[in-house]
Amino acid sequence: MSGDLLQTKLYIPPIRPSLVPRPHLIAKLKAGLAGKLTLVSAPAGFGKTTLVSEWIADCERPFAWLSLDERDSDLTHFLTYLIAAIQTIAPTAGERTAALLASPNLPPTDAVLTALLNEMSAVPQEMALVLDDYHVVDARPIDAALTFLLDHLPPQLHLVITTREDPNLPLSRLRVRGQLTEIRAADLRFTLAETAVFLHQVTGLELSPAEIAALETRTEGWIAGLQLAALSMQGRGDVHSFIEAFAGDNRFIVDYLVDEVLQRQPQHIQRFLLQTAILNRLNGSLCTAVTHQEASSDLLEELERSNLFVIPLDDRRQWYRYHHLFADVLQARLMKERPEELPGLHQRASAWYEQNDFTADAVQHALAAQDFEGAARMIELAWAEMDRSRQSAIWLRWAKKLPDELIRVRPVLSVGCAWAFLDAGELEAAEGRLRDAEQCLEAPAGWVIADEEEFEYLPGSIASARTYHALALGDMPGTVSYARQALGLLPKEEHLRRGTPAALLGLAFWAEGNLIEAKQAFAEAMTSYQKAGNILFVITGAYVLAEMALAQGHLREAIKICEEALQLAQAHGEIAMRGAADLYTELSELHFEQNNLAAAKENLRQSKALGEETPLPRWRYRWHLAQAHIQEAAGNLGDALDSLNEAERHYVRGPVPDVRSVAALQARIWVRQGRLSEAQQWVTDQGLSDGDDLSYLREFDHITLARILIARYRHDGTERTIREAMALLERLLPAAKAAGRTRSVLEILTLQALAHEAKGDTPAAFERLEKALALAEPEGFVRLFVGEGAPMEKLLTKMQDEYGLSETEGMKGYIPKLHAAFSQQNDFLPASRTPQPLFEPLSERELEVLQLVAQGFSNREIAERLFLALPTVKGHNRNIYSKLQVNRRTEAVARARELGIL
């Protein structure tokens, strides 16, 4: 980090003599030091930072200060700055943790936090740490890290947070335990007496009680509004008339006050304020570039001395910002009075940012200036690097703001757009941009090229994109044709560019069920990426290799692939870790196959923490699928269906074959719930039958059909259904065996055993089950059998008692392991609750939602905490109201407590 930036962030605002002493608040803050957390939460302009600064001046305990901004939403940066802040008091505290954060092999977050807590515990002195403007940090991993720190906070450390909105921290728990001190807007509002003191100190006027009351009433004690009023009244002869006018519409009042303040400034100051209102941060060089006013640094210092809502960001007075509300009003005034200046101001800001390598800011200001030519040039030049670091979603948001006709004459930009659309699953839009690029190459007149290097390889890039597009649409001949074309166009030494069509060929083989060639081709593509130095692509591809290995029945190999890729990611730092979320999701699924549900849950938790920070396009879809499997194993079938609905909502079309569709997974849960009519409707909707032509992409659907047929036979004893199931399984088995799809073979054999047992043919059931066990034991598959529930447990026990099993050493240990897994299954089922005195009891998920409602969380907050869509939460609320026979949240909570449910 730069020294200037660090000084900016650790700078404690200067302590000015208080105009209005607030001893009751200072006393409350001091008393709160006995707890863990002080939260100062109120809207802008309520004096949060001023109050905390006054407290620091009046407190014997040393304070560290960390000013936050939007750039601090990265967990590693946040922890680095947090340690630097603490070191302003205890210089050696956190040194080891800082070294961990700076190392390329970054340990798991919990390990880093534990190391930091251990170092803090060794500091003997008491201290407090202020996190100022926490609301600007929008990152779940940081919320989770602070929660962990608060849970284990050493007694000598106290945390203070100032914020405009409540943080996503366990405030209710801290409140109940008496570890939280809260200062809210109601506490910070000036009383009538405080308003009188403040106005007298600022204006020096002897205002009547009625005039003071009018100002206090209209501002509701809002300190910033009172300050604006005081500034506007200075030097006026018609104070009474001003106060009468102040009692009008609130928005008009604020505009009027700011107008009065601005109009009393010299013209060059007014011009400077308005012209620089477009900037989030100010320094002399940037302001000079934007305003063409020399000595901008001096002007910024003058604004600060005049209390014109300019806040210094470092003690060297180099960087500043405007008070947020003041900036908003300045921008509104600029747009109203000088709209013709906006394009030029934004263009000059864009030029400064581009010259100083702030690409994102440069693009945003160019777009705001409607300098689409300049924006297009910068966006085109940014594509290659942003694509290689998996930031195509951000890039696409920029590109979508460009006029269509401008993109069409830029073939490199068009292909970048096509790739970004492909990543987002917008296949039709991608097709249009590819046609634009191809037409440019056919008729070269009027081309505009910014990135000459990308243009050199454009035909190969187009062919690669066509490969992706064809595969996503299921066009296998087209996929192979375009992939070969791309590989023919791209030089052999271009490992990165050649890796993509090679990887897509591997995916095409996978979609056809040819796993051996698929793994070989995809592994070669990953080797190309590694030779090119793009470790992120290697890591994001590892989960695909693991899925292929799992389909082959190589469970242990799949786990090894993920673990080695995670080690590679940790060794290469932050950018490489962007692909780790998918790896943790895949590890969750693999541990689930081993019935290690604790490890499955932990990996899914780590996936969530990483994925929320830098989500890749299909991560949420995969995460919800894994969550559904764990919920199903725990017996929470309704929750599992919710998660599958969420997965479907986040589904993005792409080249990775959809070999286990959400719809089929839903049908399987309906079978477990006994909802056979709905499962059968799925069969009808899919047009499935036992006589269909077989293909790998429909293999999972056909196995699901066999499950439904067996369940129908168990339900009504119809001979036709069991015959159809057994005939279908007999056809599926040799196809899966021939292609080496051992995971499918295992499931087919298991279902055959259950079908024969249901038919009463025990010897045939034993024969099929023994084959499945012999295949599953070397790789450690457990969930495959345990997931079949009581019928499989009974068959396994009966087989062991009546038929005996292989006496191999592996099988001797494997069978007891399966029995133990069956006996432990109840440990993962929901704990039994007191019976609910309702005709239709609340589900586990509904109880979870109701508990959060009782704690005061909004629907949106509940959705975020439970990782659900907002409509899903609202649906749960409707179910809760219906079952409790109430109409509102408060009634639901009261009724639930009355019935002993809460």
Side-chain angles (χ1 to χ4, degrees):
M1 74 189 81
S2 71
D4 289 350
L5 178 58
L6 182 58
Q7 289 301 316
T8 295
K9 303 185 75 61
L10 307 184
Y11 178 68
I12 299 178
I15 311 302
R16 295 186 175 94
S18 178
L19 296 173
V20 181
R22 314 197 78 181
H24 61 294
L25 293 181
I26 300 298
K28 184 176 181 179
L29 291 169
K30 285 183 177 180
L33 287 171
K36 288 187 174 183
L37 174 65
T38 294
L39 177 67
V40 185
S41 179
F46 274 87
K48 300 181 292 293
T49 300
T50 299
L51 176 66
V52 175
S53 299
E54 292 175 3
W55 174 32
I56 292 174
D58 196 50
C59 189
E60 294 180 357
R61 180 180 297 207
F63 277 72
W65 189 284
L66 177 57
S67 296
L68 299 169
D69 60 40
E70 292 84 355
R71 295 172 299 178
D72 299 325
S73 294
D74 175 81
L75 179 59
T76 301
H77 293 168
F78 176 85
L79 291 175
T80 301
Y81 291 138
L82 186 146
I83 291 169
I86 291 172
Q87 288 177 343
T88 61
I89 297 173
T92 60
E95 285 183 340
R96 295 178 182 176
T97 309
L100 287 177
L101 292 170
S103 69
N105 189 13
L106 186 66
T109 300
D110 287 359
V112 174
L113 297 175
T114 300
L116 176 59
L117 286 166
N118 289 338
E119 291 191 79
M120 289 305 307
S121 298
V123 176
Q125 69 188 115
E126 292 185 332
M127 68 176 71
L129 171 63
V130 179
L131 300 180
D132 191 34
D133 283 344
Y134 188 79
H135 58 273
V136 301
V137 175
D138 183 17
R140 291 174 182 269
I142 293 177
D143 294 334
L146 271 189
T147 298
F148 185 94
L149 291 174
L150 282 167
D151 285 343
H152 305 87
L153 201 67
Q156 65 269 38
L157 179 62
H158 184 80
L159 186 63
V160 181
I161 291 177
T162 71
T163 178
R164 292 186 185 178
E165 57 189 38
D166 280 5
N168 188 21
L169 300 175
L171 300 181
S172 298
R173 186 169 76 230
L174 292 167
R175 191 180 294 121
V176 169
R177 294 176 180 177
Q179 296 173 336
L180 173 66
T181 297
E182 297 174 84
I183 302 292
R184 301 269 178 190
D187 304 304
L188 292 167
R189 288 189 182 104
F190 276 172
T191 64
L192 184 59
E194 289 173 331
T195 299
V197 172
F198 177 82
L199 291 172
H200 178 71
Q201 292 286 347
V202 172
T203 67
L205 299 172
E206 294 296 332
L207 302 176
S208 70
E211 290 169 335
I212 293 171
L215 289 172
E216 192 273 337
T217 298
R218 295 311 301 163
T219 61
E220 297 184 46
W222 176 47
I223 298 170
L226 288 167
Q227 186 176 9
L228 283 169
L231 287 171
S232 297
M233 287 188 290
Q234 288 179 345
R236 298 187 65 99
D238 55 346
V239 171
H240 183 73
S241 298
F242 168 81
I243 293 174
E244 283 186 344
F246 184 77
D249 177 74
N250 191 54
R251 288 185 61 186
F252 167 78
I253 292 165
V254 174
D255 290 344
Y256 180 80
L257 290 173
V258 175
D259 288 348
E260 288 292 310
V261 172
L262 288 175
Q263 287 176 359
R264 293 175 182 271
Q265 305 306 315
Q267 283 298 316
H268 75 285
I269 294 291
Q270 290 190 43
R271 185 169 61 254
F272 182 87
L273 289 170
L274 294 177
Q275 289 178 330
T276 56
I278 65 168
L279 303 172
N280 292 325
R281 287 173 180 262
L282 316 164
N283 76 2
S285 172
L286 174 57
C287 290
T288 295
V290 170
T291 66
H292 290 164
Q293 292 193 49
E294 298 298 331
S296 291
S297 297
D298 295 338
L299 275 176
L300 288 170
E301 292 183 15
E302 181 181 345
L303 293 177
E304 186 203 356
R305 287 193 299 270
S306 302
N307 282 331
L308 280 177
F309 302 100
V310 176
I311 301 169
L313 298 176
D314 59 73
D315 54 6
R316 297 164 61 186
R317 297 304 194 266
Q318 290 188 347
W319 283 94
Y320 298 82
R321 69 169 176 85
Y322 291 126
H323 185 285
H324 299 306
L325 293 180
F326 190 52
D328 290 344
V329 176
L330 289 175
Q331 290 167 12
R333 184 178 176 86
L334 175 63
M335 292 183 67
K336 179 180 178 181
E337 296 193 353
R338 304 182 183 182
E340 72 283 354
E341 292 187 19
L342 278 168
L345 295 172
H346 282 294
Q347 278 186 319
R348 294 195 288 274
S350 177
W352 189 91
Y353 280 123
E354 185 180 12
Q355 290 166 8
N356 288 274
D357 296 325
F358 296 110
T359 301
D361 294 296
V363 169
Q364 295 290 3
H365 279 283
L367 291 170
Q370 296 191 343
D371 175 16
F372 296 122
E373 296 280 345
R377 174 181 53 78
M378 290 185 282
I379 292 170
E380 180 174 320
L381 290 169
W383 164 249
E385 183 57 36
M386 293 185 74
D387 175 48
R388 289 163 191 168
S389 57
R390 298 294 194 202
Q391 297 183 72
S392 63
I394 296 172
W395 186 92
L396 184 58
R397 286 198 292 271
W398 298 345
K400 282 184 174 181
K401 296 176 181 178
L402 296 173
D404 182 70
E405 63 274 9
L406 185 146
I407 298 174
R408 282 204 301 265
V409 298
R410 290 167 167 79
V412 174
L413 184 58
S414 293
V415 172
C417 287
W419 273 113
F421 279 126
L422 289 172
D423 285 343
E426 299 182 41
L427 304 185
E428 295 76 14
E431 168 66 27
R433 288 305 174 204
L434 287 174
R435 284 201 303 267
D436 291 341
E438 289 163 343
Q439 288 170 4
C440 275
L441 295 183
E442 291 170 3
W447 280 357
V448 180
I449 306 296
D451 193 329
E452 295 288 347
E453 181 179 355
E454 286 299 307
F455 178 70
E456 180 183 352
Y457 301 104
L458 199 61
S461 296
I462 292 173
S464 293
R466 284 287 182 195
T467 308
Y468 187 116
H469 188 264
L471 184 55
L473 292 175
D475 176 8
M476 297 306 160
T479 300
V480 174
S481 175
Y482 283 122
R484 288 173 176 167
Q485 180 183 346
L487 291 170
L489 289 168
L490 295 168
K492 290 185 178 180
E493 64 274 11
E494 281 295 318
H495 298 295
L496 181 61
R497 299 177 194 276
R498 291 177 63 86
T500 299
L504 291 168
L505 266 182
L507 294 176
F509 290 137
W510 182 14
E512 293 178 334
N514 188 344
L515 296 175
I516 294 174
E517 286 194 53
K519 272 182 71 179
Q520 180 179 349
F522 202 83
E524 289 174 358
M526 296 304 103
T527 300
S528 292
Y529 287 144
Q530 195 152 11
K531 286 180 180 178
N534 194 313
I535 302 302
L536 177 58
F537 281 22
V538 176
I539 290 160
T540 54
Y543 97 90
V544 173
L545 284 173
E547 277 286 294
M548 292 177 181
L550 176 61
Q552 290 180 305
H554 301 160
L555 179 55
R556 300 185 193 280
E557 179 191 348
I559 292 174
K560 183 180 179 182
I561 288 170
C562 290
E563 290 176 343
E564 289 179 350
L566 276 176
Q567 292 173 2
L568 186 65
Q570 291 163 355
H572 283 80
E574 180 182 347
I575 293 179
M577 285 299 291
R578 288 178 184 165
D582 276 331
L583 292 175
Y584 279 116
T585 301
E586 183 66 17
L587 274 174
S588 176
E589 295 275 47
L590 299 174
H591 286 300
F592 179 80
E593 292 279 2
Q594 295 179 322
N595 204 47
N596 187 347
L597 300 191
K601 290 177 182 178
E602 173 57 21
N603 278 288
L604 205 56
R605 184 194 66 79
Q606 294 196 57
S607 172
K608 182 179 179 181
L610 283 170
E612 282 292 284
E613 186 174 352
T614 53
L616 295 179
R618 294 165 184 84
W619 166 77
R620 294 185 189 277
Y621 168 74
R622 297 174 189 130
W623 191 94
H624 283 293
L625 288 182
Q627 174 81 331
H629 292 149
I630 293 173
Q631 290 166 331
E632 183 182 1
N636 298 327
L637 302 184
D639 294 347
L641 286 173
D642 284 345
S643 291
L644 290 176
N645 288 333
E646 286 296 298
E648 191 168 33
R649 193 169 70 87
H650 291 290
Y651 179 73
V652 177
R653 293 179 297 173
V656 177
D658 187 15
V659 295
R660 292 189 296 262
S661 70
V662 169
L665 291 168
Q666 289 172 327
R668 290 181 175 217
I669 292 179
W670 289 334
V671 170
R672 287 196 60 184
Q673 291 177 318
R675 297 160 62 180
L676 295 182
S677 61
E678 290 168 80
Q680 185 59 44
Q681 185 59 52
W682 169 79
V683 173
T684 302
D685 292 343
Q686 296 297 313
L688 292 170
S689 75
D690 62 303
D692 291 337
D693 291 338
L694 302 183
S695 70
Y696 178 53
L697 287 180
R698 301 209 78 183
E699 188 170 75
F700 190 77
D701 286 357
H702 281 122
I703 294 173
T704 303
L705 170 59
R707 286 184 175 278
I708 294 170
L709 292 169
I710 294 169
R712 287 175 57 193
Y713 175 75
R714 290 182 184 277
H715 180 259
D716 56 28
T718 304
E719 285 290 330
R720 179 178 58 81
T721 58
I722 195 68
R723 286 197 305 270
E724 289 177 354
M726 295 175 77
L728 177 57
L729 291 170
E730 281 296 326
R731 294 175 59 223
L732 287 167
L733 184 61
K737 277 185 177 179
R741 300 192 293 268
T742 303
R743 178 61 179 78
S744 295
V745 170
L746 284 169
E747 187 173 5
I748 294 166
L749 287 171
T750 302
L751 289 179
Q752 285 182 321
L754 292 173
H756 283 298
E757 174 65 8
K759 195 79 171 63
D761 188 352
T762 302
F766 288 168
E767 185 260 338
R768 297 294 181 172
L769 180 55
E770 186 169 29
K771 286 182 178 179
L773 292 169
L775 279 174
E777 181 275 327
E779 294 294 333
F781 285 97
V782 174
R783 192 71 214 170
L784 182 76
F785 302 102
V786 176
E788 301 297 340
M792 177 56 68
E793 184 178 14
K794 291 177 183 177
L795 181 60
L796 188 62
T797 301
K798 187 177 181 181
M799 180 179 176
Q800 193 170 18
D801 292 343
E802 298 181 15
Y803 183 72
L805 290 168
S806 169
E807 293 298 316
T808 64
E809 288 300 319
M811 198 62 72
K812 283 181 180 178
Y814 187 50
I815 301 305
K817 183 178 181 180
L818 292 179
H819 281 302
F822 276 112
S823 65
Q824 293 168 2
Q825 176 66 11
N826 289 335
D827 293 343
F828 297 99
L829 297 177
S832 59
R833 294 179 178 268
T834 304
Q836 299 174 24
L838 296 172
F839 176 76
E840 185 181 0
L842 300 177
S843 71
E844 288 295 318
R845 178 65 79 181
E846 288 163 357
L847 284 168
E848 197 171 6
V849 170
L850 182 57
Q851 287 167 349
L852 293 174
V853 168
Q855 294 174 36
F857 290 101
S858 67
N859 285 342
R860 188 170 299 281
E861 290 169 333
I862 293 171
E864 291 173 353
R865 283 175 175 265
L866 299 184
F867 218 48
L868 297 174
L870 185 58
T872 302
V873 173
K874 291 179 178 178
H876 284 311
N877 279 332
R878 287 193 295 271
N879 293 340
I880 292 168
Y881 296 167
S882 175
K883 292 177 181 181
L884 294 176
Q885 296 183 337
V886 298
N887 296 313
R888 292 190 293 272
R889 293 163 64 97
T890 54
E891 293 175 354
V893 173
R895 179 66 172 155
R897 286 173 175 161
E898 177 185 334
L899 295 174
I901 296 172
L902 284 178

